Amino acid sequence: MTTRFNALDLQDHPMVLKMHQGETWQLELPDSVAKITAGRDDQVDVQVDSNVVFLKAVQNSGWGNLTIRLKNGDSIQVVYSLASTNGRYIRRVLVEYPTDPDLIAPPVQAARPTASSPAATMPAAAVPTVRRIPATPAVTGPQAAPATPPTSTAAAGPQVAPEWLRFGFTGGTRNGTSLTLGYRITNIGTEAVVFSPLTVRMQAGRQPLKVAVLGDQNGTVRVNAGQTVYGNLVIDQAGSITDVPFTWSWIGSTLNSGRQYDVGGPLRLVLAGAGNARR
């Protein structure tokens, strides 16, 4: 089985894989691999041959991530969950650049639930109103061998975070022109949600800002069902900008179904006095 991905889509969204112990995944990339950074090295065996990466699941439970940097400078992040043995298959994944960048075809996806998603409403405690930020089509990795080709509706873009996925800022501090914002993510749903550092965006007016996610797993944040996770975002130059509206976006992917939710929206920063920030 071969699954194809658009390399441009993977610049903003991670490839999500469900790997069974003993399976080998063969990722064929559009350029040679320069470096691979793994959050953990005891879960998946990684081998590289020029532009091909071989991943073999060693354990049968848990999750992790790795970042693949290509020699052309592009990066691809892979987020995986591990499951028990399901046969020793070889899964082939082909990542390609589109021949026409203006015609980005939706990626081929493995089987995903067809049931409608929960009502997409933001809790009042997180964001009173939501100003949508344009996003590329959803990109999720293969979950299992599909019996029939997926339908085009599976490639819908990220949705506004539902009621069961709650995000809020807990405060902030300023150091020079850098601003550190504490955050809290609560998941009262039924499956884990993973937030990649590659999918967080923030801008002041029309000016994009550099955002870093602090934490383990190379900045990737996993929030299990029934769990609350705390962390920090560091925004460069935010402390030097005043009197402009801030907007931001952070897209999370569910590990099992591959659905994507955006917890972002408008953001009001209060930088007077001691430099506290609040929403």
Side-chain angles (χ1 to χ4, degrees):
M1 182 188 73
T2 299
T3 305
R4 297 176 183 270
F5 284 95
N6 187 321
L8 298 184
D9 289 334
L10 294 181
Q11 301 302 304
D12 296 314
H13 304 285
M15 180 189 298
V16 181
L17 306 179
K18 184 176 182 179
M19 305 177 65
H20 293 271
Q21 187 178 32
E23 278 185 342
T24 297
W25 291 74
Q26 179 179 316
L27 311 184
E28 299 181 23
L29 307 174
D31 198 8
S32 298
V33 175
K35 182 180 180 181
I36 295 182
T37 304
R40 293 181 57 176
D41 56 8
D42 60 339
Q43 296 177 320
V44 176
D45 179 63
V46 182
Q47 302 291 331
V48 180
D49 182 8
S50 185
N51 70 313
V52 181
V53 177
F54 298 92
L55 305 177
K56 184 174 182 179
V58 177
Q59 298 186 17
N60 62 6
S61 64
W63 76 283
N65 73 92
L66 54 90
T67 300
I68 305 172
R69 181 171 294 278
L70 305 180
K71 287 188 176 180
N72 64 9
D74 285 347
S75 293
I76 296 173
Q77 185 168 71
V78 177
V79 176
Y80 58 83
S81 60
L82 302 175
S84 58
T85 303
N86 189 30
R88 297 183 180 276
Y89 303 107
I90 296 179
R91 310 287 188 182
R92 181 171 179 257
V93 176
L94 184 60
V95 180
E96 302 173 303
Y97 290 109
T99 55
D100 184 351
D102 294 328
L103 300 175
I104 301 177
V108 176
Q109 301 181 15
R112 289 177 55 181
T114 58
S116 59
S117 60
T121 56
M122 288 294 287
V127 180
T129 59
V130 175
R131 174 182 170 185
R132 306 302 301 135
I133 298 176
T136 57
V139 177
T140 59
Q143 304 294 317
T148 58
T151 62
S152 58
T153 57
Q159 304 173 45
V160 176
E163 175 68 22
W164 54 264
L165 185 62
R166 304 175 181 179
F167 183 96
F169 285 113
T170 60
T173 58
R174 182 171 56 186
N175 183 8
T177 59
S178 294
L179 183 66
T180 299
L181 294 178
Y183 66 80
R184 176 186 65 252
I185 307 175
T186 298
N187 178 3
I188 58 174
T190 58
E191 61 177 316
V193 181
V194 174
F195 290 86
S196 164
L198 299 180
T199 63
V200 60
R201 300 285 186 271
M202 186 170 293
Q203 61 186 51
R206 296 184 178 180
Q207 177 184 346
L209 302 174
K210 183 178 180 181
V211 184
V213 182
L214 301 184
D216 298 332
Q217 297 287 337
N218 296 322
T220 299
V221 178
R222 170 171 171 160
V223 189
N224 293 321
Q227 183 181 29
T228 296
V229 171
Y230 295 84
N232 292 284
L233 302 177
V234 178
I235 304 97
D236 286 347
Q237 304 301 320
S240 62
I241 300 173
T242 58
D243 300 326
V244 294
F246 282 75
T247 56
W248 80 292
S249 171
W250 199 1
I251 298 170
S253 301
T254 56
L255 275 180
N256 293 332
S257 62
R259 287 191 174 91
Q260 295 184 330
Y261 299 110
D262 190 346
V263 298
L267 177 66
R268 184 168 64 91
L269 301 179
V270 180
L271 302 176
N276 291 328
R278 57 188 175 89
R279 195 166 182 171

